[in-house]
Amino acid sequence: GKMKASKTRETVADDIPTWANISISTISPVCAVLFSNPFDTAKVRLQLQGQDLHQNKVYKSSLDCIYKIARSEGIKGLQQGIVPAMYREGSKNIFRLGAFQPILGILHPPSSSESSAPFWKRANNK
């Protein structure tokens, strides 16, 4: 008779323990916030500056804003709001990235005789 070829859905994510997957998906964006937060700080300062039409403009552009904040307030000034930003990114990505593979494994176990997860579910994780 015909032999049925067995399908395996092995990926790199399958080799990583769930706790590590969740930890990495939380820690990575938290580290990224260290680099993106100064731009958010500048954005907020420029938005606040634009609200008061009678006030003299302190900042000309985003880069000018970052430069002036760094010069007058230092790193502390550039990183204002860093803790809430870390919580936001960490909590958002723990579900979006870290929990995706474990939930997909529960819904479509690799050992089941059914076919693997639909393409749209697998592609969503990339």
Side-chain angles (χ1 to χ4, degrees):
K2 290 184 179 179
M3 291 188 70
K4 201 175 200 180
S6 65
K7 285 180 149 181
T8 59
R9 291 187 302 136
E10 291 185 25
T11 63
V12 174
D14 292 336
D15 296 336
I16 300 173
T18 302
W19 67 267
N21 190 15
I22 290 172
S23 298
I24 292 167
S25 66
T26 303
I27 294 169
S28 298
V30 166
C31 292
V33 167
L34 293 171
F35 299 99
S36 64
N37 196 62
F39 296 99
D40 284 339
T41 301
K43 176 193 70 159
V44 170
R45 297 267 181 113
L46 288 167
Q47 287 173 331
L48 291 173
Q49 174 179 275
Q51 286 182 351
D52 189 1
L53 300 176
H54 303 292
Q55 180 184 358
N56 291 336
K57 302 296 181 200
V58 178
Y59 310 114
K60 298 175 189 169
S61 66
S62 296
L63 292 178
D64 180 57
C65 184
I66 289 172
Y67 174 76
K68 287 179 178 174
I69 293 170
R71 202 176 72 206
S72 64
E73 300 174 43
I75 297 292
K76 188 175 180 182
L78 286 173
Q79 294 294 358
Q80 284 184 340
I82 189 75
V83 173
M86 288 176 155
Y87 281 125
R88 179 188 66 232
E89 292 303 317
S91 63
K92 177 174 62 174
N93 286 290
I94 194 171
F95 296 108
R96 189 171 66 181
L97 301 174
F100 181 83
Q101 200 67 30
I103 291 172
L104 188 63
I106 291 168
L107 296 175
H108 302 281
S111 60
S112 72
S113 59
E114 297 178 17
S115 65
S116 66
F119 174 75
W120 66 269
K121 285 185 183 177
R122 288 180 282 136
N124 192 26
N125 193 30
K126 304 293 184 239

